[in-house]
């Protein structure tokens, strides 16, 4: 039976992204929007961890219920907080084990799920987001062990942010990624990143790929974000 991660959030896009990441790592995700659902699932033997989105209106009720039921400490519970959140003390008192800052770095989340803590390491050896394997889409190939990229058979030198952006696109092709999800995947820090900065880095990455492939592999989806489109290219 797969370990279950209980996710309490009222943000559909955020839930979809986390569910995609966690299921790729072998977890089952159970969405719970009501406090009594979270509390009930916290006591289930298959529950591996709980993720609480602090943007949810019912966070206080959930925290009080977990504390009242003496469930804290039995399984790891992480609060997903904004960069400027002032609720850290309240969350600690409620029994939260860890605060993970949004936009969320996938490797940091996976480290918490595997160890119950985040030590500040990048977690490069964790699961699908850091294994020593090769990713291939179109003419693009990334070797995660050597941190190298080849496009159309030629080496491509990328800065760390460009590398992580490309890695994320190759891991999830044909999916529209918002700027916030790209920030979470590539910047991996707690500082705020202007969405326009994402556009600049995407432009550089797109230009680098175009110089070797002869076409734009990364497509802009108006008002939504960016995607690496492989289906249309393969069908030509």
């Amino acid at each position: 039976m797969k370990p279950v991660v209980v996710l309490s959030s009222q943000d559909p896009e955020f839930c979809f992204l986390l569910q995609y990441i966690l299921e790729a790592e072998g977890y089952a995700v159970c969405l719970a929007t009501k406090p009594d659902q979270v509390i009930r699932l916290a006591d289930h033997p298959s529950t591996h961890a709980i993720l609480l989105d602090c943007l949810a209106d019912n966070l206080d009720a959930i925290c009080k219920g977990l504390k009242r039921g003496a469930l804290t400490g039995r399984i790891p519970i992480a609060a997903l907080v904004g960069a400027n959140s002032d609720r850290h003390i309240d969350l600690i008192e409620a029994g939260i084990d860890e605060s993970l800052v949004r936009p969320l770095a996938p490797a940091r989340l996976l480290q918490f799920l595997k160890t119950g803590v985040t030590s500040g390491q990048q977690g490069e050896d964790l699961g699908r987001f850091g294994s020593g394997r090769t990713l291939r889409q179109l003419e693009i190939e990334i070797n995660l062990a050597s941190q190298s990229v080849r496009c159309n058979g030629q080496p491509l030198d990328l800065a760390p942010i460009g590398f992580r952006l490309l890695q994320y696109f190759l891991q999830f092709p044909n999916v529209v990624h918002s700027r916030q999800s790209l920030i979470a995947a590539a910047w991996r820090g707690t500082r705020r990143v202007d969405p326009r900065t994402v556009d600049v880095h995407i432009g550089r990455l797109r230009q680098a790929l175009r110089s070797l492939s002869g076409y734009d592999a990364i497509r802009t989806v108006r008002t939504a974000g960016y995607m690496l489109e492989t289906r249309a290219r393969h069908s030509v």
Side-chain angles (χ1 to χ4, degrees):
M1 181 179 294
K2 293 182 179 180
V4 175
V5 175
V6 177
L7 173 59
S8 179
S9 176
Q10 297 171 349
D11 183 339
E13 182 180 355
F14 187 58
C15 288
F16 175 78
L17 175 63
L18 283 189
Q19 184 171 4
Y20 200 105
I21 292 172
L22 294 174
E23 289 180 350
E25 295 296 330
Y27 295 99
V29 177
C30 184
L31 300 178
T33 57
K34 298 180 180 180
D36 60 331
Q37 293 176 318
V38 179
I39 296 166
R40 184 173 65 253
L41 289 167
D43 204 29
H44 195 279
S46 297
T47 298
H48 177 78
I50 297 175
L51 303 178
L52 302 177
D53 187 356
C54 284
L55 299 182
D57 295 333
N58 56 14
L59 180 67
D60 287 333
I62 293 174
C63 288
K64 290 178 181 178
L66 291 172
K67 187 175 183 179
R68 185 169 57 250
L71 296 169
T72 53
R74 293 169 50 183
I75 56 175
I77 304 173
L80 311 177
V81 301
N84 298 319
S85 175
D86 58 357
R87 305 206 56 187
H88 295 285
I89 300 300
D90 295 337
L91 294 171
I92 292 173
E93 291 178 348
I96 300 298
D97 299 294
E98 192 79 27
S99 294
L100 301 175
V101 178
R102 295 180 64 175
L104 193 62
R108 192 169 174 82
L109 170 62
L110 296 177
Q111 183 183 16
F112 171 77
L113 292 178
K114 291 179 184 294
T115 66
V117 296
T118 55
S119 63
Q121 300 173 354
Q122 294 297 336
E124 300 294 347
D125 60 338
L126 299 176
R128 181 175 176 181
F129 281 81
S131 63
R133 65 189 184 93
T134 299
L135 300 173
R136 296 185 184 89
Q137 297 289 348
L138 302 173
E139 292 84 11
I140 308 165
E141 179 180 302
I142 284 184
N143 187 307
L144 296 176
S146 63
Q147 297 283 285
S148 60
V149 181
R150 298 184 72 85
C151 180
N152 218 10
Q154 301 180 61
L156 181 62
D157 187 24
L158 295 176
I161 288 177
F163 183 92
R164 290 193 289 267
L165 283 171
L166 184 59
Q167 177 183 343
Y168 192 58
F169 280 121
L170 264 64
Q171 285 170 321
F172 303 110
N174 304 307
V175 175
V176 179
H177 301 291
S178 68
R179 289 168 178 80
Q180 287 302 314
S181 65
L182 293 172
I183 289 171
W187 271 261
R188 296 182 173 178
T190 59
R191 66 184 182 90
R192 302 184 70 174
V193 178
D194 193 302
R196 289 174 294 183
T197 302
V198 179
D199 298 336
V200 171
H201 283 273
I202 290 293
R204 292 173 181 170
L205 177 59
R206 180 184 278 155
Q207 183 178 4
L209 293 171
R210 186 194 304 124
S211 67
L212 296 180
S213 67
Y215 62 89
D216 286 331
I218 299 173
R219 182 166 71 87
T220 301
V221 181
R222 187 175 178 82
T223 74
Y226 299 94
M227 70 182 295
L228 178 73
E229 190 170 28
T230 66
R231 290 177 296 208
R233 180 67 54 178
H234 287 313
S235 65
V236 174

